[in-house]
Amino acid sequence: MDLIADALEAAGVDENLLLGIGVGTPGMVDIRDGVVVRYPRIPGMDGYPLRDEIRKRFNVPVHLHNNAAVIALSEYRYGSVRGRQSVLTLVLRTGIGGAFIQDGTLFVNQHRTALEVGHTTVDPEGPRCRCGRRGCLETYLSEEALRRDAGAADVDAFFSAVAADEPAATAAVRGAADALLVALYGLLNSLNPEAVLIVTRSEALSSRLSDVVRAELSRRPPFVTATKRDIVPHAYDPVIAGQGAADLVFDSFFAAVAG
Ligand SMILES: [Zn+2]
């Protein structure tokens, strides 16, 4: 709430002129009810009515979506995968979010976001995940897992080590890419997207991960063949992501105007 209020103040926007607020939140989201259905990383978030809590404070329409979906939408409309027919987006941070866009439409089902790619099982005997299952992708590929595997002091040090192609960091990326590929073969065979957008907070990490994935897919293609399949690396761009969140408001407003 304070972040929203601070942003309005910094931008000099009068709260009374707000058309609405668009929010991209981690976790599985019920976009109709405005509820975070599942987010195991923060205790108490499961079932949290985030939309209504924000609406109470600002008294305007609030539109909630999953953060990977918002990033996917913004990159499809304004960014690195603009106008592609179908895009699978993977967003790697503390966990791994996913979103799928086809012909401009974000995939949701039962008014809930899907593609919680981070909880795809990579190894049923693997390490315990926060979700309670074992060997989920995010136990191998989160920023923290990569930092740990590379022996870096913190995530920023890990990003620098990746950019400098230090051997421990390169090995950690390689290992994580192998885990990602296990999940990705399933996703490619299911969705056959024209582009796969790999988003991290580091340009070097996105690029190195994409290089490994691209090389491996060309050496060992999935069963489903594609006429076009681009692996697109991208560093998270908060400005473009913000446009995506704002679009949740505009899309709803203009849909209502159009009737
Ligand atoms: Zn999990």
Side-chain angles (χ1 to χ4, degrees), residues 7-93:
L8 288 171
E9 199 182 319
V13 174
D14 181 348
E15 270 185 34
N16 298 312
L17 298 178
L18 275 184
L19 193 60
I21 296 173
V23 179
T25 175
M28 181 183 174
V29 175
D30 188 311
I31 59 173
R32 186 190 67 184
D33 298 342
V35 168
V36 178
V37 180
R38 286 203 77 186
Y39 186 54
R41 195 162 287 275
I42 301 180
M45 280 300 275
D46 287 0
Y48 187 75
L50 183 57
R51 179 190 66 196
D52 290 350
E53 290 300 317
I54 297 173
R55 192 159 58 186
K56 264 187 233 162
R57 161 70 180 78
F58 294 94
N59 209 21
V60 290
V62 176
H63 301 276
L64 203 64
H65 222 304
N66 168 268
N67 58 348
V70 167
I71 290 169
L73 183 67
S74 63
E75 292 297 333
Y76 170 82
R77 289 187 175 174
Y78 311 108
S80 47
V81 286
R82 185 161 37 188
R84 299 300 190 101
Q85 199 255 334
S86 56
V87 183
L88 170 67
T89 299
L90 305 174
V91 180
L92 187 164
R93 290 190 69 171

Side-chain angles (χ1 to χ4, degrees), residues 51-232:
R51 179 190 66 196
D52 290 350
E53 290 300 317
I54 297 173
R55 192 159 58 186
K56 264 187 233 162
R57 161 70 180 78
F58 294 94
N59 209 21
V60 290
V62 176
H63 301 276
L64 203 64
H65 222 304
N66 168 268
N67 58 348
V70 167
I71 290 169
L73 183 67
S74 63
E75 292 297 333
Y76 170 82
R77 289 187 175 174
Y78 311 108
S80 47
V81 286
R82 185 161 37 188
R84 299 300 190 101
Q85 199 255 334
S86 56
V87 183
L88 170 67
T89 299
L90 305 174
V91 180
L92 187 164
R93 290 190 69 171
T94 50
I96 297 123
F100 182 62
I101 290 182
Q102 182 159 26
D103 298 322
T105 302
L106 269 168
F107 176 81
V108 293
N109 230 337
Q110 302 177 74
H111 47 84
R112 292 180 169 191
T113 57
L115 285 158
E116 287 287 349
V117 175
H119 299 288
T120 304
T121 305
V122 167
D123 176 3
E125 309 294 319
R128 180 77 68 184
C129 177
R130 278 168 210 271
C131 73
R133 304 180 71 90
R134 283 191 175 279
C136 291
L137 179 61
E138 78 170 45
T139 65
Y140 303 93
L141 187 62
S142 67
E143 285 179 355
E144 177 53 27
L146 281 158
R147 180 209 65 77
R148 183 198 59 217
D149 290 350
D154 55 37
V155 171
D156 284 335
F158 168 69
F159 289 158
S160 303
V162 172
D165 292 314
E166 288 178 17
T170 302
V173 171
R174 175 76 230 196
D178 287 344
L180 172 58
L181 279 156
V182 173
L184 201 52
Y185 278 107
L187 289 163
L188 294 178
N189 281 329
S190 305
L191 300 171
N192 202 12
E194 181 187 310
V196 178
L197 179 66
I198 297 182
V199 183
T200 77
R201 291 194 295 148
S202 150
E203 207 171 318
L205 176 59
S206 300
S207 157
R208 304 298 190 278
L209 264 176
S210 298
D211 288 348
V212 177
V213 165
R214 200 181 295 113
E216 192 61 24
L217 290 178
S218 95
R219 201 173 66 82
R220 204 161 51 92
F223 176 81
V224 166
T225 56
T227 50
K228 197 172 185 188
R229 183 183 290 123
D230 294 329
I231 309 297
V232 183

